Amino acid sequence: MSILTAIFQALFQAVCRIFPISETAHSSIFHDFAGRFSGECSSLTGIVHIGIAVGIVAAMYKFFFKMSYEFFSTFGDMFKKRLKGNKPSGSRHYMYMTLISFCPMLLWLIPCGKYGFLYNVLRMTQFNMTLLDDGLFLAITGAMLIVAAFEITKSRISKQVSIVAAVVIGALSVFLIPVSGFSFVGVVFAVLVLFGVNKKLALNYGLVMSVPVLVVSGIVEICISVTHVGVASVIIGLVISIVSAFFSVVFLKFFVNKGYLKYFGIYDVSVGAIIFIVGIFELIFRK
């Protein structure tokens, strides 16, 4: 695999993963027109995903340090029996909610016979020889972002993440990550905003939850890869994915603060509608 391919893939995946424009939808478009429907991946994909996780942590290192401190402090308080009856701080409550949202992802391990696990079944939406579902889910993501952008403009009291919101995010995450067309960060942000959560906390929630998912998926993709890459491509892909992810997080926060979120929504709806129509023709002519 060439160095040029490593550069393009690292840039493409970092930008599309962090910005709410769906990495899986754009990847499906590429695979569809290239005629690649096997679902096989290269080790570079896994390396880039790990690099994106590192870039997110680097861009939000203070926030991750605080969450890590709260996580390990909880065990200390449990050992000292200081948890009972104490109301958690805002940071610790936030950390608890992210853990709750991760629990439903264990459903990915449900065995599905010859298809492997549930995660593999859902992931095959990226390689099902039609862009119809990809377009539909991308358009839904865009519509949710537009509604969330409208909600942000309203004057109201911002809330913390509630248990109900955390459970809903967890349930949605089972489908958001593997199913093609959804943007994980975008949908999580939109849903939390609709629950009345502060836009900064909502955005951080989606980014924080992305990190362990990216690391685990990256390791799995490296282990099951069928295409291996050279050392130079690995190093370049890793470095560019880290840098790209870092600046993507910085710019995404800027765009959200400036109220530009609706433009991502308009893009998603527009592109989603186009590839949905393409998918209809694919269903007709690929029978």
PDB file of all heavy atoms in Angstrom, residues 149-184:
ATOM      1  N   ALA A 149     -29.543  22.087  16.139  1.00  0.00           N
ATOM      2  CA  ALA A 149     -29.067  23.455  15.947  1.00  0.00           C
ATOM      3  C   ALA A 149     -30.167  24.458  16.271  1.00  0.00           C
ATOM      4  O   ALA A 149     -29.907  25.522  16.853  1.00  0.00           O
ATOM      5  CB  ALA A 149     -28.584  23.639  14.509  1.00  0.00           C
ATOM      6  N   PHE A 150     -31.389  24.126  15.903  1.00  0.00           N
ATOM      7  CA  PHE A 150     -32.527  24.994  16.216  1.00  0.00           C
ATOM      8  C   PHE A 150     -32.763  25.041  17.725  1.00  0.00           C
ATOM      9  O   PHE A 150     -33.037  26.112  18.292  1.00  0.00           O
ATOM     10  CB  PHE A 150     -33.772  24.487  15.493  1.00  0.00           C
ATOM     11  CG  PHE A 150     -35.027  25.241  15.845  1.00  0.00           C
ATOM     12  CD1 PHE A 150     -35.260  26.514  15.350  1.00  0.00           C
ATOM     13  CD2 PHE A 150     -35.968  24.676  16.694  1.00  0.00           C
ATOM     14  CE1 PHE A 150     -36.412  27.216  15.682  1.00  0.00           C
ATOM     15  CE2 PHE A 150     -37.124  25.367  17.039  1.00  0.00           C
ATOM     16  CZ  PHE A 150     -37.345  26.641  16.531  1.00  0.00           C
ATOM     17  N   GLU A 151     -32.651  23.892  18.386  1.00  0.00           N
ATOM     18  CA  GLU A 151     -32.873  23.832  19.829  1.00  0.00           C
ATOM     19  C   GLU A 151     -31.838  24.650  20.596  1.00  0.00           C
ATOM     20  O   GLU A 151     -32.144  25.251  21.622  1.00  0.00           O
ATOM     21  CB  GLU A 151     -32.830  22.372  20.305  1.00  0.00           C
ATOM     22  CG  GLU A 151     -34.036  21.547  19.922  1.00  0.00           C
ATOM     23  CD  GLU A 151     -35.294  22.017  20.615  1.00  0.00           C
ATOM     24  OE1 GLU A 151     -35.241  22.223  21.835  1.00  0.00           O
ATOM     25  OE2 GLU A 151     -36.319  22.202  19.935  1.00  0.00           O
ATOM     26  N   ILE A 152     -30.606  24.662  20.092  1.00  0.00           N
ATOM     27  CA  ILE A 152     -29.537  25.399  20.761  1.00  0.00           C
ATOM     28  C   ILE A 152     -29.839  26.896  20.794  1.00  0.00           C
ATOM     29  O   ILE A 152     -29.443  27.601  21.737  1.00  0.00           O
ATOM     30  CB  ILE A 152     -28.184  25.127  20.061  1.00  0.00           C
ATOM     31  CG1 ILE A 152     -27.749  23.672  20.312  1.00  0.00           C
ATOM     32  CG2 ILE A 152     -27.103  26.083  20.559  1.00  0.00           C
ATOM     33  CD1 ILE A 152     -26.509  23.271  19.549  1.00  0.00           C
ATOM     34  N   THR A 153     -30.519  27.381  19.770  1.00  0.00           N
ATOM     35  CA  THR A 153     -30.815  28.810  19.711  1.00  0.00           C
ATOM     36  C   THR A 153     -31.871  29.236  20.728  1.00  0.00           C
ATOM     37  O   THR A 153     -32.026  30.429  20.987  1.00  0.00           O
ATOM     38  CB  THR A 153     -31.320  29.199  18.300  1.00  0.00           C
ATOM     39  OG1 THR A 153     -32.530  28.472  18.003  1.00  0.00           O
ATOM     40  CG2 THR A 153     -30.277  28.871  17.253  1.00  0.00           C
ATOM     41  N   LYS A 154     -32.589  28.280  21.292  1.00  0.00           N
ATOM     42  CA  LYS A 154     -33.612  28.615  22.276  1.00  0.00           C
ATOM     43  C   LYS A 154     -32.953  28.980  23.603  1.00  0.00           C
ATOM     44  O   LYS A 154     -31.915  28.453  23.985  1.00  0.00           O
ATOM     45  CB  LYS A 154     -34.564  27.434  22.493  1.00  0.00           C
ATOM     46  CG  LYS A 154     -35.436  27.113  21.290  1.00  0.00           C
ATOM     47  CD  LYS A 154     -36.386  25.969  21.625  1.00  0.00           C
ATOM     48  CE  LYS A 154     -37.309  25.660  20.472  1.00  0.00           C
ATOM     49  NZ  LYS A 154     -38.235  24.542  20.794  1.00  0.00           N
ATOM     50  N   SER A 155     -33.565  29.865  24.327  1.00  0.00           N
ATOM     51  CA  SER A 155     -33.070  30.252  25.645  1.00  0.00           C
ATOM     52  C   SER A 155     -33.677  29.327  26.688  1.00  0.00           C
ATOM     53  O   SER A 155     -34.879  29.322  26.923  1.00  0.00           O
ATOM     54  CB  SER A 155     -33.450  31.702  25.957  1.00  0.00           C
ATOM     55  OG  SER A 155     -33.032  32.056  27.264  1.00  0.00           O
ATOM     56  N   ARG A 156     -32.845  28.509  27.292  1.00  0.00           N
ATOM     57  CA  ARG A 156     -33.343  27.588  28.308  1.00  0.00           C
ATOM     58  C   ARG A 156     -32.203  27.177  29.225  1.00  0.00           C
ATOM     59  O   ARG A 156     -31.026  27.365  28.911  1.00  0.00           O
ATOM     60  CB  ARG A 156     -33.969  26.358  27.668  1.00  0.00           C
ATOM     61  CG  ARG A 156     -33.007  25.570  26.789  1.00  0.00           C
ATOM     62  CD  ARG A 156     -33.685  24.362  26.229  1.00  0.00           C
ATOM     63  NE  ARG A 156     -32.760  23.605  25.403  1.00  0.00           N
ATOM     64  CZ  ARG A 156     -33.042  22.422  24.893  1.00  0.00           C
ATOM     65  NH1 ARG A 156     -34.205  21.870  25.151  1.00  0.00           N
ATOM     66  NH2 ARG A 156     -32.173  21.778  24.158  1.00  0.00           N
ATOM     67  N   ILE A 157     -32.555  26.587  30.347  1.00  0.00           N
ATOM     68  CA  ILE A 157     -31.563  26.141  31.313  1.00  0.00           C
ATOM     69  C   ILE A 157     -30.925  24.841  30.813  1.00  0.00           C
ATOM     70  O   ILE A 157     -31.619  23.890  30.471  1.00  0.00           O
ATOM     71  CB  ILE A 157     -32.206  25.901  32.702  1.00  0.00           C
ATOM     72  CG1 ILE A 157     -32.820  27.209  33.213  1.00  0.00           C
ATOM     73  CG2 ILE A 157     -31.185  25.371  33.683  1.00  0.00           C
ATOM     74  CD1 ILE A 157     -33.591  27.036  34.506  1.00  0.00           C
ATOM     75  N   SER A 158     -29.607  24.798  30.759  1.00  0.00           N
ATOM     76  CA  SER A 158     -28.909  23.599  30.323  1.00  0.00           C
ATOM     77  C   SER A 158     -28.833  22.588  31.458  1.00  0.00           C
ATOM     78  O   SER A 158     -28.615  22.946  32.610  1.00  0.00           O
ATOM     79  CB  SER A 158     -27.497  23.955  29.843  1.00  0.00           C
ATOM     80  OG  SER A 158     -27.556  24.823  28.738  1.00  0.00           O
ATOM     81  N   LYS A 159     -28.994  21.331  31.113  1.00  0.00           N
ATOM     82  CA  LYS A 159     -29.012  20.279  32.109  1.00  0.00           C
ATOM     83  C   LYS A 159     -27.779  19.392  32.007  1.00  0.00           C
ATOM     84  O   LYS A 159     -27.080  19.367  31.005  1.00  0.00           O
ATOM     85  CB  LYS A 159     -30.258  19.407  31.919  1.00  0.00           C
ATOM     86  CG  LYS A 159     -31.576  20.164  31.935  1.00  0.00           C
ATOM     87  CD  LYS A 159     -32.727  19.219  31.621  1.00  0.00           C
ATOM     88  CE  LYS A 159     -34.051  19.959  31.547  1.00  0.00           C
ATOM     89  NZ  LYS A 159     -35.163  19.056  31.161  1.00  0.00           N
ATOM     90  N   GLN A 160     -27.548  18.625  33.081  1.00  0.00           N
ATOM     91  CA  GLN A 160     -26.551  17.565  33.042  1.00  0.00           C
ATOM     92  C   GLN A 160     -27.136  16.373  32.303  1.00  0.00           C
ATOM     93  O   GLN A 160     -28.339  16.296  32.061  1.00  0.00           O
ATOM     94  CB  GLN A 160     -26.161  17.154  34.473  1.00  0.00           C
ATOM     95  CG  GLN A 160     -25.056  17.984  35.084  1.00  0.00           C
ATOM     96  CD  GLN A 160     -23.679  17.508  34.634  1.00  0.00           C
ATOM     97  OE1 GLN A 160     -23.525  16.667  33.763  1.00  0.00           O
ATOM     98  NE2 GLN A 160     -22.655  18.079  35.262  1.00  0.00           N
ATOM     99  N   VAL A 161     -26.285  15.415  31.955  1.00  0.00           N
ATOM    100  CA  VAL A 161     -26.745  14.190  31.308  1.00  0.00           C
ATOM    101  C   VAL A 161     -27.506  13.354  32.327  1.00  0.00           C
ATOM    102  O   VAL A 161     -26.979  13.031  33.394  1.00  0.00           O
ATOM    103  CB  VAL A 161     -25.568  13.384  30.743  1.00  0.00           C
ATOM    104  CG1 VAL A 161     -26.077  12.115  30.046  1.00  0.00           C
ATOM    105  CG2 VAL A 161     -24.751  14.242  29.771  1.00  0.00           C
ATOM    106  N   SER A 162     -28.756  13.016  32.034  1.00  0.00           N
ATOM    107  CA  SER A 162     -29.565  12.214  32.949  1.00  0.00           C
ATOM    108  C   SER A 162     -29.355  10.732  32.685  1.00  0.00           C
ATOM    109  O   SER A 162     -28.795  10.338  31.652  1.00  0.00           O
ATOM    110  CB  SER A 162     -31.047  12.555  32.769  1.00  0.00           C
ATOM    111  OG  SER A 162     -31.487  12.162  31.480  1.00  0.00           O
ATOM    112  N   ILE A 163     -29.826   9.901  33.607  1.00  0.00           N
ATOM    113  CA  ILE A 163     -29.723   8.454  33.436  1.00  0.00           C
ATOM    114  C   ILE A 163     -30.515   8.003  32.210  1.00  0.00           C
ATOM    115  O   ILE A 163     -30.059   7.155  31.427  1.00  0.00           O
ATOM    116  CB  ILE A 163     -30.218   7.719  34.698  1.00  0.00           C
ATOM    117  CG1 ILE A 163     -29.281   8.012  35.874  1.00  0.00           C
ATOM    118  CG2 ILE A 163     -30.308   6.215  34.458  1.00  0.00           C
ATOM    119  CD1 ILE A 163     -29.708   7.361  37.175  1.00  0.00           C
ATOM    120  N   VAL A 164     -31.694   8.587  32.029  1.00  0.00           N
ATOM    121  CA  VAL A 164     -32.522   8.240  30.866  1.00  0.00           C
ATOM    122  C   VAL A 164     -31.781   8.559  29.573  1.00  0.00           C
ATOM    123  O   VAL A 164     -31.730   7.745  28.636  1.00  0.00           O
ATOM    124  CB  VAL A 164     -33.869   8.983  30.904  1.00  0.00           C
ATOM    125  CG1 VAL A 164     -34.656   8.723  29.618  1.00  0.00           C
ATOM    126  CG2 VAL A 164     -34.676   8.552  32.120  1.00  0.00           C
ATOM    127  N   ALA A 165     -31.167   9.744  29.511  1.00  0.00           N
ATOM    128  CA  ALA A 165     -30.420  10.136  28.313  1.00  0.00           C
ATOM    129  C   ALA A 165     -29.242   9.198  28.076  1.00  0.00           C
ATOM    130  O   ALA A 165     -28.962   8.807  26.939  1.00  0.00           O
ATOM    131  CB  ALA A 165     -29.934  11.575  28.452  1.00  0.00           C
ATOM    132  N   ALA A 166     -28.545   8.818  29.151  1.00  0.00           N
ATOM    133  CA  ALA A 166     -27.395   7.913  29.027  1.00  0.00           C
ATOM    134  C   ALA A 166     -27.821   6.554  28.505  1.00  0.00           C
ATOM    135  O   ALA A 166     -27.136   5.950  27.659  1.00  0.00           O
ATOM    136  CB  ALA A 166     -26.706   7.768  30.383  1.00  0.00           C
ATOM    137  N   VAL A 167     -28.957   6.047  28.981  1.00  0.00           N
ATOM    138  CA  VAL A 167     -29.464   4.750  28.525  1.00  0.00           C
ATOM    139  C   VAL A 167     -29.874   4.823  27.055  1.00  0.00           C
ATOM    140  O   VAL A 167     -29.592   3.911  26.267  1.00  0.00           O
ATOM    141  CB  VAL A 167     -30.655   4.293  29.392  1.00  0.00           C
ATOM    142  CG1 VAL A 167     -31.315   3.054  28.791  1.00  0.00           C
ATOM    143  CG2 VAL A 167     -30.191   3.999  30.815  1.00  0.00           C
ATOM    144  N   VAL A 168     -30.528   5.910  26.682  1.00  0.00           N
ATOM    145  CA  VAL A 168     -30.938   6.093  25.282  1.00  0.00           C
ATOM    146  C   VAL A 168     -29.716   6.136  24.363  1.00  0.00           C
ATOM    147  O   VAL A 168     -29.685   5.496  23.307  1.00  0.00           O
ATOM    148  CB  VAL A 168     -31.771   7.382  25.117  1.00  0.00           C
ATOM    149  CG1 VAL A 168     -31.986   7.711  23.637  1.00  0.00           C
ATOM    150  CG2 VAL A 168     -33.113   7.232  25.818  1.00  0.00           C
ATOM    151  N   ILE A 169     -28.692   6.886  24.782  1.00  0.00           N
ATOM    152  CA  ILE A 169     -27.458   6.958  23.995  1.00  0.00           C
ATOM    153  C   ILE A 169     -26.832   5.582  23.867  1.00  0.00           C
ATOM    154  O   ILE A 169     -26.359   5.184  22.792  1.00  0.00           O
ATOM    155  CB  ILE A 169     -26.456   7.939  24.641  1.00  0.00           C
ATOM    156  CG1 ILE A 169     -26.965   9.378  24.537  1.00  0.00           C
ATOM    157  CG2 ILE A 169     -25.079   7.819  23.987  1.00  0.00           C
ATOM    158  CD1 ILE A 169     -27.135   9.870  23.119  1.00  0.00           C
ATOM    159  N   GLY A 170     -26.810   4.823  24.956  1.00  0.00           N
ATOM    160  CA  GLY A 170     -26.248   3.478  24.917  1.00  0.00           C
ATOM    161  C   GLY A 170     -26.992   2.572  23.956  1.00  0.00           C
ATOM    162  O   GLY A 170     -26.382   1.831  23.176  1.00  0.00           O
ATOM    163  N   ALA A 171     -28.331   2.627  24.003  1.00  0.00           N
ATOM    164  CA  ALA A 171     -29.147   1.805  23.116  1.00  0.00           C
ATOM    165  C   ALA A 171     -28.921   2.184  21.651  1.00  0.00           C
ATOM    166  O   ALA A 171     -28.805   1.315  20.776  1.00  0.00           O
ATOM    167  CB  ALA A 171     -30.619   1.943  23.484  1.00  0.00           C
ATOM    168  N   LEU A 172     -28.843   3.485  21.383  1.00  0.00           N
ATOM    169  CA  LEU A 172     -28.618   3.942  20.016  1.00  0.00           C
ATOM    170  C   LEU A 172     -27.222   3.574  19.522  1.00  0.00           C
ATOM    171  O   LEU A 172     -27.034   3.255  18.337  1.00  0.00           O
ATOM    172  CB  LEU A 172     -28.797   5.462  19.937  1.00  0.00           C
ATOM    173  CG  LEU A 172     -30.220   5.997  20.073  1.00  0.00           C
ATOM    174  CD1 LEU A 172     -30.206   7.527  20.106  1.00  0.00           C
ATOM    175  CD2 LEU A 172     -31.096   5.522  18.921  1.00  0.00           C
ATOM    176  N   SER A 173     -26.244   3.590  20.430  1.00  0.00           N
ATOM    177  CA  SER A 173     -24.858   3.333  20.045  1.00  0.00           C
ATOM    178  C   SER A 173     -24.660   1.936  19.472  1.00  0.00           C
ATOM    179  O   SER A 173     -23.742   1.708  18.672  1.00  0.00           O
ATOM    180  CB  SER A 173     -23.931   3.530  21.251  1.00  0.00           C
ATOM    181  OG  SER A 173     -23.971   4.869  21.697  1.00  0.00           O
ATOM    182  N   VAL A 174     -25.505   1.000  19.893  1.00  0.00           N
ATOM    183  CA  VAL A 174     -25.427  -0.365  19.357  1.00  0.00           C
ATOM    184  C   VAL A 174     -25.544  -0.337  17.838  1.00  0.00           C
ATOM    185  O   VAL A 174     -24.916  -1.133  17.131  1.00  0.00           O
ATOM    186  CB  VAL A 174     -26.537  -1.250  19.969  1.00  0.00           C
ATOM    187  CG1 VAL A 174     -26.533  -2.635  19.334  1.00  0.00           C
ATOM    188  CG2 VAL A 174     -26.344  -1.359  21.471  1.00  0.00           C
ATOM    189  N   PHE A 175     -26.305   0.615  17.301  1.00  0.00           N
ATOM    190  CA  PHE A 175     -26.529   0.712  15.861  1.00  0.00           C
ATOM    191  C   PHE A 175     -25.713   1.841  15.219  1.00  0.00           C
ATOM    192  O   PHE A 175     -25.324   1.743  14.052  1.00  0.00           O
ATOM    193  CB  PHE A 175     -28.012   0.941  15.579  1.00  0.00           C
ATOM    194  CG  PHE A 175     -28.899  -0.120  16.156  1.00  0.00           C
ATOM    195  CD1 PHE A 175     -29.498   0.059  17.396  1.00  0.00           C
ATOM    196  CD2 PHE A 175     -29.116  -1.312  15.482  1.00  0.00           C
ATOM    197  CE1 PHE A 175     -30.308  -0.914  17.947  1.00  0.00           C
ATOM    198  CE2 PHE A 175     -29.926  -2.294  16.020  1.00  0.00           C
ATOM    199  CZ  PHE A 175     -30.521  -2.102  17.255  1.00  0.00           C
ATOM    200  N   LEU A 176     -25.459   2.912  15.973  1.00  0.00           N
ATOM    201  CA  LEU A 176     -24.802   4.080  15.393  1.00  0.00           C
ATOM    202  C   LEU A 176     -23.400   3.787  14.884  1.00  0.00           C
ATOM    203  O   LEU A 176     -22.978   4.320  13.852  1.00  0.00           O
ATOM    204  CB  LEU A 176     -24.725   5.206  16.432  1.00  0.00           C
ATOM    205  CG  LEU A 176     -26.035   5.848  16.880  1.00  0.00           C
ATOM    206  CD1 LEU A 176     -25.761   6.901  17.946  1.00  0.00           C
ATOM    207  CD2 LEU A 176     -26.766   6.455  15.693  1.00  0.00           C
ATOM    208  N   ILE A 177     -22.656   2.962  15.600  1.00  0.00           N
ATOM    209  CA  ILE A 177     -21.250   2.735  15.254  1.00  0.00           C
ATOM    210  C   ILE A 177     -21.087   1.782  14.072  1.00  0.00           C
ATOM    211  O   ILE A 177     -20.387   2.101  13.104  1.00  0.00           O
ATOM    212  CB  ILE A 177     -20.465   2.260  16.484  1.00  0.00           C
ATOM    213  CG1 ILE A 177     -20.451   3.378  17.534  1.00  0.00           C
ATOM    214  CG2 ILE A 177     -19.040   1.854  16.106  1.00  0.00           C
ATOM    215  CD1 ILE A 177     -19.910   2.971  18.869  1.00  0.00           C
ATOM    216  N   PRO A 178     -21.712   0.602  14.072  1.00  0.00           N
ATOM    217  CA  PRO A 178     -21.489  -0.316  12.947  1.00  0.00           C
ATOM    218  C   PRO A 178     -22.345  -0.056  11.721  1.00  0.00           C
ATOM    219  O   PRO A 178     -21.941  -0.362  10.601  1.00  0.00           O
ATOM    220  CB  PRO A 178     -21.818  -1.693  13.554  1.00  0.00           C
ATOM    221  CG  PRO A 178     -22.832  -1.397  14.612  1.00  0.00           C
ATOM    222  CD  PRO A 178     -22.450  -0.053  15.169  1.00  0.00           C
ATOM    223  N   VAL A 179     -23.555   0.494  11.901  1.00  0.00           N
ATOM    224  CA  VAL A 179     -24.470   0.680  10.767  1.00  0.00           C
ATOM    225  C   VAL A 179     -24.026   1.867   9.920  1.00  0.00           C
ATOM    226  O   VAL A 179     -23.792   2.959  10.426  1.00  0.00           O
ATOM    227  CB  VAL A 179     -25.919   0.876  11.254  1.00  0.00           C
ATOM    228  CG1 VAL A 179     -26.832   1.226  10.081  1.00  0.00           C
ATOM    229  CG2 VAL A 179     -26.421  -0.390  11.951  1.00  0.00           C
ATOM    230  N   SER A 180     -23.929   1.646   8.620  1.00  0.00           N
ATOM    231  CA  SER A 180     -23.431   2.669   7.713  1.00  0.00           C
ATOM    232  C   SER A 180     -24.419   3.814   7.530  1.00  0.00           C
ATOM    233  O   SER A 180     -25.617   3.593   7.365  1.00  0.00           O
ATOM    234  CB  SER A 180     -23.133   2.048   6.351  1.00  0.00           C
ATOM    235  OG  SER A 180     -22.634   3.008   5.456  1.00  0.00           O
ATOM    236  N   GLY A 181     -23.904   5.034   7.564  1.00  0.00           N
ATOM    237  CA  GLY A 181     -24.711   6.224   7.321  1.00  0.00           C
ATOM    238  C   GLY A 181     -24.848   7.131   8.522  1.00  0.00           C
ATOM    239  O   GLY A 181     -25.060   8.333   8.380  1.00  0.00           O
ATOM    240  N   PHE A 182     -24.727   6.563   9.712  1.00  0.00           N
ATOM    241  CA  PHE A 182     -24.843   7.368  10.918  1.00  0.00           C
ATOM    242  C   PHE A 182     -23.496   7.999  11.278  1.00  0.00           C
ATOM    243  O   PHE A 182     -22.440   7.434  11.014  1.00  0.00           O
ATOM    244  CB  PHE A 182     -25.315   6.533  12.107  1.00  0.00           C
ATOM    245  CG  PHE A 182     -26.754   6.116  12.041  1.00  0.00           C
ATOM    246  CD1 PHE A 182     -27.112   4.778  11.991  1.00  0.00           C
ATOM    247  CD2 PHE A 182     -27.764   7.064  12.031  1.00  0.00           C
ATOM    248  CE1 PHE A 182     -28.448   4.393  11.930  1.00  0.00           C
ATOM    249  CE2 PHE A 182     -29.098   6.700  11.978  1.00  0.00           C
ATOM    250  CZ  PHE A 182     -29.434   5.359  11.926  1.00  0.00           C
ATOM    251  N   SER A 183     -23.553   9.163  11.901  1.00  0.00           N
ATOM    252  CA  SER A 183     -22.375   9.771  12.505  1.00  0.00           C
ATOM    253  C   SER A 183     -22.521   9.626  14.016  1.00  0.00           C
ATOM    254  O   SER A 183     -23.463  10.173  14.600  1.00  0.00           O
ATOM    255  CB  SER A 183     -22.266  11.256  12.139  1.00  0.00           C
ATOM    256  OG  SER A 183     -21.349  11.920  12.996  1.00  0.00           O
ATOM    257  N   PHE A 184     -21.626   8.889  14.629  1.00  0.00           N
ATOM    258  CA  PHE A 184     -21.745   8.636  16.065  1.00  0.00           C
ATOM    259  C   PHE A 184     -21.703   9.934  16.856  1.00  0.00           C
ATOM    260  O   PHE A 184     -22.595  10.209  17.667  1.00  0.00           O
ATOM    261  CB  PHE A 184     -20.633   7.690  16.528  1.00  0.00           C
ATOM    262  CG  PHE A 184     -20.659   7.410  18.004  1.00  0.00           C
ATOM    263  CD1 PHE A 184     -21.636   6.592  18.538  1.00  0.00           C
ATOM    264  CD2 PHE A 184     -19.722   7.976  18.848  1.00  0.00           C
ATOM    265  CE1 PHE A 184     -21.679   6.335  19.903  1.00  0.00           C
ATOM    266  CE2 PHE A 184     -19.750   7.729  20.205  1.00  0.00           C
ATOM    267  CZ  PHE A 184     -20.728   6.906  20.735  1.00  0.00           C
TER     268      PHE A 184
END
